[in-house]
Amino acid sequence: MTSPRSRLLVRLLAVLVMFVGFAGQFVRNLLGWIGFGVVDGLLAVAVVVAIILLRPRMAWRRVPKSLVAFLLLAVVSIAWSFYPGASAAGAGVLIVTTLAGVFLGLCLSWAELVRTFGVALRWILGLSLAFEFWTAAVSGPILPFFFDASQYGEPPYPKAFYWSRALLLHGGPIEGIVGNRNLLGFVALLALIIFAVQLAAKSVRRFWGIFWLVVAVAVFLLTRSATVILAAVVVAVAVGFVLWARRANPDGRRPIYLTALGTVVVVVGASIALFPVILKLFGKSEDFTGRFDIWSAVIHLAQQRPAFGWGWVSYWAPWVHPFSDLAERKGVVYLQAHNAWLDVWFQLGVVGVVVFGALIVSTLWRSWFTAIDRPRHGLATDEPYAAITLVPVLLMAALLAQSLAESRILIEGGWITLVTLCLITKRSQSSAERIP
């Protein structure tokens, strides 16, 4: 599949994968779980066929062992799982999602990957603004199409039930087609990274690049997501350190690392000391919108099975114990721990946290040196290189920041992005591929 037409099909499939990965809730709200299953199944088949036809190569010694170990641990956890049926389903979802990341990480060039992210994110942002305008000006607050609200009495229902609360003309917060302001805000943050890189690399027309950058900023602000604002601060700090490291001699980077370590210590200490003030500043309740209660419940269960956990489940399964009432707040049952690290500890124990940590650290390590070191093995050294190689480390910074308040790095678009970055940085580390 090397003809222009076949590469166009590959890129189209890649855009669909990323779109559904980050806007899966849009498909579920529109078509229901059955419709979502059909769409997901068709995409999975297409991805497998594409991988078979493209036959991407990676020597076993170059395969990220931490990624393989995490997948094996999740699958094997079925053997000791408290809910083996749900674990089997969760392992299947994890494998399918991983295949999507394998397709993106091994079958696309760097330029195609950035372009894929850009197109998918533009569609999500554009459709979200159009959807929010329609609900604000025409329909009013809207529930998911396949949601039966009759069991909850008369409206208004809990905020989390609504697909959109039609608040665009009031300045937000808006939920967009993804039905969640934190997720939409995070998509906008990823878009800011990608669109800025594309502008710097001159891979898009300046007018349209600036236009979509403004759209991303507008959506980012309209979501009013405190967690995403904090993630944006982390990304901005990462940009500063990367640019500093690029200008420094490789032998003179110790002050950079010491400053980075000091910054982390100071920020963590200040966050703990000033946490009530920070919550008030962002309009959050004292329990961090219920997260403290959820974390406490998850920690209590994790301590009962600390070594290997209760069994992998990916999405929490609300039809099995203990998920049916583990994280209920104001009539809403939440299906994640709102912290990826606690979620991994709960599901796969300390062993899972160690393996997941190895996956994160190794991917972040390669992403960092991809961003700050002039490439070897014949990689490009022109200006597009300078911009495009920022993508992995900045996306990793965003994912890691989000992982402290959300578990989305373990599912759908978050996991796809992590696997993609893990593989493409590993691939470029050992190949003569030009980054742009």
Side-chain angles (χ1 to χ4, degrees):
M1 299 180 69
T2 58
S3 68
R5 179 175 294 181
S6 62
R7 291 311 300 178
L8 177 61
L9 292 175
V10 169
R11 291 194 294 270
L12 176 59
L13 177 59
V15 170
L16 289 174
V17 166
M18 289 307 305
F19 180 87
V20 175
F22 280 104
Q25 192 60 42
F26 165 65
V27 181
R28 291 189 288 272
N29 286 350
L30 189 66
L31 303 177
W33 277 96
I34 295 178
F36 174 72
V38 171
V39 171
D40 236 20
L42 291 174
L43 272 180
V45 171
V47 164
V48 171
V49 171
I51 292 174
I52 292 174
L53 293 177
L54 292 168
R55 291 181 294 178
R57 295 181 180 180
M58 176 174 275
W60 169 249
R61 63 189 179 87
R62 293 293 183 182
V63 173
K65 305 303 188 296
S66 55
L67 175 60
V68 175
F70 188 84
L71 294 174
L72 288 176
L73 183 62
V75 173
V76 174
S77 73
I78 298 172
W80 63 79
S81 174
F82 186 80
Y83 31 75
S87 283
V93 170
L94 179 66
I95 291 172
V96 170
T97 311
T98 301
L99 284 174
V102 170
F103 165 64
L104 296 175
L106 296 185
C107 299
L108 298 182
S109 68
W110 281 78
E112 287 175 326
L113 180 63
V114 174
R115 190 180 304 119
T116 292
F117 266 94
V119 174
L121 296 175
R122 286 183 182 92
W123 274 104
I124 295 174
L125 296 181
L127 288 174
S128 290
L129 283 179
F131 174 65
E132 288 290 346
F133 180 78
W134 181 74
T135 58
V138 180
S139 72
I142 186 172
L143 293 166
F145 288 175
F146 287 81
F147 179 76
D148 181 13
S150 59
Q151 57 183 313
Y152 299 100
E154 296 296 323
Y157 304 110
K159 296 177 182 179
F161 286 1
Y162 286 92
W163 188 351
S164 169
R165 290 185 288 148
L167 297 176
L168 175 64
L169 301 182
H170 298 278
I174 64 173
E175 295 81 16
I177 62 170
V178 300
N180 182 286
R181 66 171 176 163
N182 291 326
L183 178 54
L184 181 61
F186 188 71
V187 168
L189 176 58
L190 298 185
L192 284 171
I193 295 171
I194 296 298
F195 298 165
V197 165
Q198 288 183 315
L199 270 172
K202 300 178 181 179
S203 60
V204 293
R205 292 183 179 179
R206 184 174 178 80
F207 172 81
W208 288 111
I210 294 175
F211 172 81
W212 282 107
L213 200 61
V214 171
V215 169
V217 170
V219 173
F220 178 87
L221 295 175
L222 285 167
T223 60
R224 297 186 184 179
S225 172
T227 56
V228 177
I229 291 174
L230 295 176
V233 172
V234 172
V235 171
V237 172
V239 170
F241 277 107
V242 168
L243 296 180
W244 184 11
R246 280 186 169 188
R247 294 188 179 94
N249 187 290
D251 297 326
R253 289 175 178 161
R254 181 175 296 179
I256 299 173
Y257 298 130
L258 292 176
T259 303
L261 178 60
T263 301
V264 171
V265 172
V266 170
V267 169
V268 171
S271 298
I272 294 173
L274 302 174
F275 197 70
V277 177
I278 295 173
L279 290 179
K280 187 176 180 179
L281 178 64
F282 286 107
K284 291 290 185 180
S285 60
E286 293 184 358
D287 64 348
F288 201 17
T289 320
R291 282 177 172 81
F292 288 169
D293 291 337
I294 296 174
W295 293 346
S296 177
V298 170
I299 290 172
H300 175 72
L301 289 175
Q303 289 173 335
Q304 297 178 26
R305 292 186 169 198
F308 291 95
W310 288 64
W312 179 255
V313 72
S314 185
Y315 304 92
W316 286 5
W319 59 87
V320 299
H321 182 75
F323 303 112
S324 55
D325 58 358
L326 178 57
E328 183 176 352
R329 184 174 185 267
K330 296 182 179 180
V332 179
V333 177
Y334 291 91
L335 302 179
Q336 58 160 316
H338 283 286
N339 182 294
W341 301 89
L342 287 181
D343 233 331
V344 172
W345 181 30
F346 168 50
Q347 297 183 40
L348 296 177
V350 174
V351 174
V353 173
V354 171
V355 175
F356 182 67
L359 171 60
I360 293 294
V361 170
S362 60
T363 304
L364 184 61
W365 179 271
R366 291 191 300 272
S367 299
W368 169 259
F369 285 104
T370 296
I372 69 172
D373 283 342
R374 284 295 169 179
R376 293 167 287 182
H377 307 299
L379 296 180
T381 58
D382 50 12
E383 283 305 311
Y385 148 78
I388 289 179
T389 54
L390 282 172
V391 169
V393 71
L394 298 185
L395 292 184
M396 284 299 299
L399 287 172
L400 283 175
Q402 185 199 41
S403 74
L404 300 178
E406 302 279 344
S407 299
R408 295 188 183 275
I409 194 175
L410 302 174
I411 60 174
E412 297 191 308
W415 182 254
I416 292 173
T417 303
L418 177 59
V419 173
T420 300
L421 297 177
C422 175
L423 291 173
I424 200 165
T425 54
K426 190 73 172 181
R427 188 183 79 187
S428 65
Q429 189 182 59
S430 57
S431 73
E433 178 194 2
R434 285 178 58 87
I435 286 180

